[in-house]
């Protein structure tokens, strides 16, 4: 191509590119890239001028494109559909749905950050003493025998058959440094982990955990969560939730976060008896309490519960009223219509 012809070709291409530059503010750079694919003259122009790519040549113009404003969501509505403002818009909008009840996870750090090797060593000794005390007790042997009966153990075998391991999540363990019942509860979880190879990683959380307790738990091969999930962990795979003597609201949060048959069927819960909650509310008729336990009451008909024998003076305070809870819900069942 002669120098004169080449000059005309380039000038024409620049004019086309300049005209298309007006389009980028309304159509976005992805439209220009598509156009370049079908426009050999533009592609040749950018190769001729040494541009790295079509999109990089228009990067500045793309950045200057205005983003249309959105209406603020209405706080009075549970679900808000965010739509564009009235008037002519140059971009296609899709409906954006915002769930205003979405629970935000809260980053957590211990409030009690005072610690030293001596304090941690004393706590470790207390826990090891509790583990030995529990391991040599008739309570542990009875608990173990019951756990390994077919009517209970088959639930676990069926779940871990495909997964291989089952994670354990411990919520609401309490102050293990100051009180023996929380130490005994932790000891039971540790002994179960040692006894059964199919129990995988152990995660622990309670907002009252101190830095010293956190370090000792880590030394015991437990993972202390740094986020307060408020009990709202979704059981995307079979998970053992170890929650003896937690607040009823924590159980209700767990059920609420998993209010689907496939998720509830992944929950293997050791904690306060759901049957006892139901019996208590049938007597006291307290509407406030009933509302805070609505998921517990609603799911009772689908729960297989096995209470444990805790009639032992040494372990009664730590485990009385505790049960295993297993869920067997039809995958096609719509739980939205399930009421207590």
């Amino acid at each position: 191509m002669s120098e004169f012809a080449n000059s005309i070709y380039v000038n024409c291409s620049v004019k086309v590119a300049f005209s298309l530059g007006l389009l980028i503010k309304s159509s976005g750079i992805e439209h220009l890239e598509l156009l370049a694919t079908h426009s050999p003259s533009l592609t040749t122009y950018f190769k001729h001028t040494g541009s790295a790519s079509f999109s990089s040549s228009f990067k500045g113009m793309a950045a200057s494109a205005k983003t249309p404003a959105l209406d603020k969501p209405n706080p009075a509505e549970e679900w808000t559909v965010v739509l564009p403002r009235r008037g002519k818009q140059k971009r296609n909008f899709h409906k954006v749905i915002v769930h205003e009840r979405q629970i935000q996870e809260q980053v957590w750090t211990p409030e009690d950050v005072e610690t030293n090797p001596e304090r941690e060593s004393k706590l470790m000794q207390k826990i090891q003493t509790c583990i030995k005390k529990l391991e040599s007790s008739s309570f542990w042997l009875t608990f173990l025998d019951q756990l390994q009966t077919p009517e209970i153990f088959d639930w676990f075998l069926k779940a871990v058959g495909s997964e291989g391991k089952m994670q354990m999540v411990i919520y609401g363990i309490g102050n293990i440094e100051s009180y023996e019942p929380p130490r005994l509860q932790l000891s039971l979880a540790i002994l179960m982990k040692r006894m059964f190879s199919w129990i995988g990683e152990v995660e622990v959380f309670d907002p009252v955990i101190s830095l010293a307790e956190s370090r000792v738990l880590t030394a015991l091969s437990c993972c202390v969560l740094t986020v307060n999930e408020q009990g709202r962990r979704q059981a995307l795979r079979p998970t053992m939730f170890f929650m003896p003597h937690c607040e009823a609201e924590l159980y209700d949060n767990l059920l609420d976060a998993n209010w689907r048959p496939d998720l509830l069927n992944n929950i293997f819960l050791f904690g306060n008896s759901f049957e006892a909650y139901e019996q208590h509310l049938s007597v006291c008729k307290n509407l406030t309490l009933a509302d805070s336990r609505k998921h517990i009451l609603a799911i009772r008909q689908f729960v297989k519960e096995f209470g444990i024998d805790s009639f032992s003076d040494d372990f009664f305070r730590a485990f009385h009223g505790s049960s295993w809870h297993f869920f067997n819900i039809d995958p096609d069942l719509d739980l939205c219509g399930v009421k207590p």
Side-chain angles (χ1 to χ4, degrees):
M1 183 182 293
S2 68
E3 182 177 353
F4 176 74
N6 182 59
S7 175
I8 293 176
Y9 174 79
V10 171
N11 287 336
C12 290
S13 298
V14 170
K15 289 180 180 180
V16 173
F18 178 78
S19 299
L20 287 174
L22 300 177
L23 177 63
I24 195 171
K25 292 186 178 182
S26 59
S27 300
I29 196 165
E30 65 278 3
H31 292 83
L32 291 181
E33 290 175 333
L34 179 61
L35 184 59
T37 304
H38 300 284
S39 178
S41 61
L42 282 176
T43 305
T44 305
Y45 164 69
F46 284 105
K47 287 181 179 178
H48 177 83
T49 56
S51 299
S53 68
F54 187 88
S55 58
S56 63
S57 300
F58 284 101
K59 187 175 182 181
M61 286 185 284
S64 67
K66 294 182 179 179
T67 303
L70 301 179
D71 283 334
K72 294 182 179 179
N74 182 358
E77 299 294 336
E78 179 182 351
W79 292 84
T80 302
V81 178
V82 183
L83 298 174
R85 293 185 185 274
R86 292 182 179 180
K88 186 177 180 180
Q89 298 292 330
K90 296 183 179 181
R91 298 180 67 179
N92 293 326
F93 280 81
H94 299 282
K95 292 181 180 180
V96 180
I97 299 177
V98 180
H99 197 324
E100 295 192 3
R101 286 187 178 178
Q102 182 178 1
I103 304 298
Q104 294 184 352
E105 294 180 339
Q106 300 175 358
V107 177
W108 171 87
T109 54
E111 292 186 5
D112 180 0
V113 295
E114 296 294 332
T115 189
N116 55 66
E118 182 181 2
R119 179 180 176 182
E120 294 171 18
S121 177
K122 286 182 177 179
L123 176 55
M124 180 64 81
Q125 290 176 7
K126 288 181 179 180
I127 294 174
Q128 295 295 347
T129 298
C130 279
I131 291 175
K132 292 178 181 178
K133 177 181 178 180
L134 183 61
E135 191 174 19
S136 61
S137 70
S138 59
F139 171 83
W140 165 246
L141 295 177
T142 302
F143 177 87
L144 204 56
D145 286 343
Q146 183 189 27
L147 181 58
Q148 295 182 98
T149 57
E151 61 179 353
I152 294 180
F153 206 62
D154 285 354
W155 289 90
F156 293 108
L157 291 180
K158 182 179 178 180
V160 300
S162 57
E163 296 289 334
K165 294 280 187 179
M166 177 181 290
Q167 184 182 34
M168 180 190 290
V169 177
I170 303 176
Y171 283 141
I173 192 62
N175 189 324
I176 59 177
E177 185 175 17
S178 301
Y179 303 103
E180 186 180 51
R183 288 197 295 272
L184 288 171
Q185 292 167 358
L186 176 65
S187 298
L188 182 62
I190 291 173
L191 286 175
M192 289 176 60
K193 163 72 173 172
R194 292 177 180 177
M195 184 71 185
F196 302 109
S197 60
W198 47 266
I199 296 180
E201 183 183 23
V202 178
E203 294 184 334
V204 185
F205 183 80
D206 193 305
V208 304
I209 290 176
S210 66
L211 180 58
E213 291 170 328
S214 177
R215 289 184 175 178
V216 171
L217 286 166
T218 301
L220 290 167
S221 300
C222 297
C223 175
V224 180
L225 299 176
T226 57
V227 172
N228 185 355
E229 300 175 338
Q230 301 178 44
R232 295 182 176 274
R233 169 77 64 91
Q234 280 198 324
L236 301 177
R237 55 192 176 94
T239 305
M240 181 189 298
F241 289 91
F242 188 86
M243 303 170 60
H245 295 182
C246 284
E247 297 291 334
E249 288 77 9
L250 207 58
Y251 299 111
D252 212 69
N253 284 353
L254 178 64
L255 296 174
D256 183 28
N258 291 277
W259 204 245
R260 278 175 18 202
D262 60 319
L263 297 179
L264 289 171
N265 288 340
N266 279 336
I267 292 178
F268 300 78
L269 174 64
F270 181 75
N272 297 353
S273 168
F274 284 7
E275 181 181 4
Y277 280 127
E278 185 179 50
Q279 291 175 350
H280 174 69
L281 287 169
S282 67
V283 174
C284 71
K285 306 293 184 182
N286 187 310
L287 294 179
T288 302
L289 286 179
D291 185 64
S292 66
R293 295 153 172 76
K294 57 186 177 183
H295 292 90
I296 296 175
L297 300 177
I299 208 64
R300 269 282 297 134
Q301 57 186 306
F302 304 105
V303 176
K304 187 67 174 177
E305 181 174 330
F306 301 92
I308 67 165
D309 182 5
S310 58
F311 293 100
S312 169
D313 292 340
D314 291 335
F315 306 103
F316 180 80
R317 289 182 58 201
F319 302 110
H320 72 89
S322 297
S323 296
W324 286 106
H325 303 80
F326 304 100
F327 301 82
N328 185 20
I329 306 172
D330 185 341
D332 297 325
L333 179 65
D334 182 8
L335 289 176
C336 293
V338 175
K339 297 181 180 180

